[in-house]
Amino acid sequence: MSLETMRPNPTWDAASYESAVDTLEAHNDELVYKVWGGDWCKDCRALLPDFGAALEAADVPADRIEEFALDRDKQGPGVEEYDIEYIPTIVVETDEGEEVTRFVEDADRPPAIWLADRLEAALS
């Protein structure tokens, strides 16, 4: 694990987010989650531990989660290729590398809920 902020929040309550967890779990073996962040970033520290807990609750295998730690200049692996400007950014892809959806730091809901809604719409 390259991002400490992706360590699951031990106080996160999966039962309170059952619908989001169910959606993530329904696709846990067919999607790849690529997460860009920085342990120094306050938005990452606020959002990613709960997202890590949601992925854990949904039994998303570790090999389907790729983490990219960026420096304070937001430089690091995949930044140019994926056009990463803000962090955290989470790109969800199929096994073939097709982007299904993307969460960017300023979304109006937490990552697990926001992504689950988009995945439900895109994959239903």
Side-chain angles (χ1 to χ4, degrees):
M1 188 175 294
S2 60
L3 288 170
E4 288 294 318
T5 53
M6 278 293 289
R7 285 184 187 246
N9 177 354
T11 62
W12 190 79
D13 178 25
S16 296
Y17 302 96
E18 185 176 358
S19 178
V21 170
D22 288 349
T23 298
L24 296 176
E25 187 171 26
H27 305 287
N28 68 4
D29 62 348
E30 61 192 60
L31 297 172
V32 176
Y33 296 85
K34 296 187 176 195
V35 182
W36 282 266
D39 293 333
W40 52 267
C41 169
K42 70 176 181 149
D43 291 326
C44 297
R45 289 192 315 262
L47 296 170
L48 292 181
D50 288 352
F51 182 61
L55 293 176
E56 182 179 73
D59 293 323
V60 174
D63 65 348
R64 293 202 163 268
I65 305 166
E66 297 178 23
E67 300 171 16
F68 304 96
L70 304 185
D71 63 22
R72 290 184 182 274
D73 294 323
K74 298 181 185 165
Q75 296 301 306
V79 167
E80 289 185 28
E81 178 185 352
Y82 282 87
D83 195 25
I84 305 301
E85 187 174 348
Y86 301 104
I87 57 174
T89 292
I90 303 163
V91 175
V92 183
E93 295 180 339
T94 65
D95 286 336
E96 291 76 33
E98 178 184 335
E99 186 171 322
V100 178
T101 191
R102 175 184 293 232
F103 172 91
V104 180
E105 128 193 60
D106 59 355
D108 60 353
R109 284 172 284 155
I113 297 167
W114 195 94
L115 288 169
D117 288 348
R118 297 310 184 283
L119 291 173
E120 191 70 33
L123 302 173
S124 296

